Amino acid sequence: MTKFNLAKLRKVLGAPQKHVKRHNKKLEKIVRGKKRESRKDSLDSLINASMFRFLNEKLYNCSSKEAATLFKEDPGAFGIYHEGYKQQLSQWPQDPLIWVKDEIMKQTSGSNKRLKIADLGCGDARLSHMLPNEHKVYSFDLVSVNERVTACDMAHTPLKTNEVDFAVFCLSLMGTNCSEFLYEANRILKSEGVLVIVDVASRFDGKFNDFLKKLKRYGFSKQFSETTNDTYFVRALLRKVSSCTSEPVESLPKLILKPCLYKKR
């Protein structure tokens, strides 16, 4: 498992060597455009952007267990990844989590029921801040960045069987074992509970509905799906109509999604 050495990276990028000339030219442009920014800050920005792209590609091409090991060995890497994610979020045409919040509230309109929601791959638990306090949001991710987040593998959460009303995957179906995530979502959802999926459209090659059809074997029935008007995201609501955990996950259709890779800027 690759481990980052920030001090070494800064030393390499800051050294006047021939093989880093390209990086130095980029830094010169940054410094000219932002005269108030120090050279060290520019180096840090360049290093962090490079590390984010590396981490992002790594997370899409390894299992959740391997990803957990990576972040355990390099705790600072998770913070760098999420800072990079925030930068990407600021450039997107919309915040995908707002739709998730709106749909949860719409589904419960006119009801006084106290909901239980599992936010799987929650980052810094933004959804828990968006929803009214009377609802209980269980926020899970590989690393706990604040007191609202429980660190765990999304394939094996600490929740009881049939415990939650909503299971949310907002840009978090990452990793080579995402089939196990949907299997776990079926386990923790109550009967008739709702699975919420939002992801980048390019990951499905125009075959999002084919992906959703496979989820029938995972005990889910599609209620709604769409591609956003800007064609950037796909999103869906599915209802749990049966349990799939009586058979091993290996016997279910394997779910394979393309990685979402961010271009170097």
Side-chain angles (χ1 to χ4, degrees):
M1 189 66 64
T2 302
K3 187 173 181 179
F4 297 112
N5 187 324
L6 294 178
K8 185 176 180 180
L9 277 172
R10 289 193 179 96
K11 183 177 180 181
V12 170
L13 286 176
Q17 299 174 25
K18 185 176 181 179
H19 69 280
V20 296
K21 187 179 293 183
R22 177 169 53 86
H23 296 289
N24 288 336
K25 285 183 178 179
K26 185 169 184 178
L27 283 175
E28 288 172 6
K29 291 180 181 179
I30 294 173
V31 173
R32 283 199 301 269
K34 300 180 180 180
K35 294 182 180 180
R36 295 181 181 178
E37 185 174 84
S38 69
R39 188 169 186 274
K40 181 180 180 299
D41 289 340
S42 299
L43 280 168
D44 286 344
S45 297
L46 181 58
I47 292 168
N48 289 347
S50 298
M51 290 175 67
F52 167 73
R53 287 191 297 273
F54 173 86
L55 280 168
N56 183 70
E57 184 171 356
K58 183 70 175 176
L59 292 175
Y60 278 110
N61 290 287
C62 72
S63 70
S64 54
K65 183 177 180 180
E66 291 171 325
T69 300
L70 186 155
F71 290 131
K72 184 177 181 180
E73 293 180 352
D74 246 333
F78 193 80
I80 289 172
Y81 174 78
H82 275 283
E83 282 303 312
Y85 172 82
K86 288 178 183 178
Q87 288 293 321
Q88 293 297 325
L89 176 60
S90 68
Q91 297 167 19
W92 288 339
Q94 57 184 285
D95 181 346
L97 205 56
I98 292 176
W99 179 83
V100 174
K101 181 263 296 181
D102 289 344
E103 285 302 314
I104 290 175
M105 297 308 299
K106 188 187 301 182
Q107 295 277 322
T108 58
S109 178
S111 171
N112 294 322
K113 182 180 178 182
R114 185 175 186 267
L115 297 173
K116 291 184 177 181
I117 300 133
D119 186 6
L120 302 158
C122 67
D124 54 5
R126 286 197 304 130
L127 183 61
S128 68
H129 291 280
M130 292 180 173
L131 292 169
N133 290 333
E134 61 261 28
H135 301 311
K136 174 63 177 176
V137 181
Y138 299 97
S139 303
F140 299 109
D141 215 318
L142 291 171
V143 176
S144 176
V145 297
N146 58 49
E147 70 281 355
R148 293 190 178 221
V149 182
T150 299
C152 75
D153 185 334
M154 255 45 66
H156 307 285
T157 71
L159 293 174
K160 298 176 182 178
T161 299
N162 304 323
E163 184 168 359
V164 299
D165 302 285
F166 287 84
V168 176
F169 290 99
C170 185
L171 306 178
S172 55
L173 286 175
M174 305 175 73
T176 55
N177 63 323
C178 65
S179 299
E180 296 178 27
F181 302 165
L182 277 304
Y183 188 82
E184 175 69 354
N186 179 275
R187 183 188 72 80
I188 64 177
L189 273 168
K190 298 175 182 177
S191 178
E192 297 298 312
V194 178
L195 173 66
V196 184
I197 295 176
V198 182
D199 220 312
V200 178
S202 61
R203 299 193 66 201
F204 299 89
D205 273 339
K207 299 178 181 178
F208 185 49
N209 281 324
D210 290 344
F211 170 81
L212 297 178
K213 287 177 182 177
K214 290 183 179 180
L215 297 188
K216 289 182 179 179
R217 287 286 309 280
Y218 287 76
F220 296 109
S221 174
K222 185 182 79 171
Q223 305 296 299
F224 167 85
S225 69
E226 69 172 0
T227 301
T228 54
N229 291 334
D230 52 45
T231 71
Y232 200 88
F233 297 109
V234 289
R235 44 203 191 192
L237 302 173
L238 302 98
R239 198 167 294 279
K240 177 182 173 180
V241 294
S242 63
S243 173
C244 70
T245 54
S246 59
E247 52 185 320
V249 66
E250 293 80 12
S251 68
L252 301 176
K254 188 170 179 60
L255 304 173
I256 301 174
L257 302 179
K258 290 178 61 178
C260 177
L261 304 180
Y262 299 107
K263 295 180 180 179
K264 190 173 182 179
R265 296 182 181 275

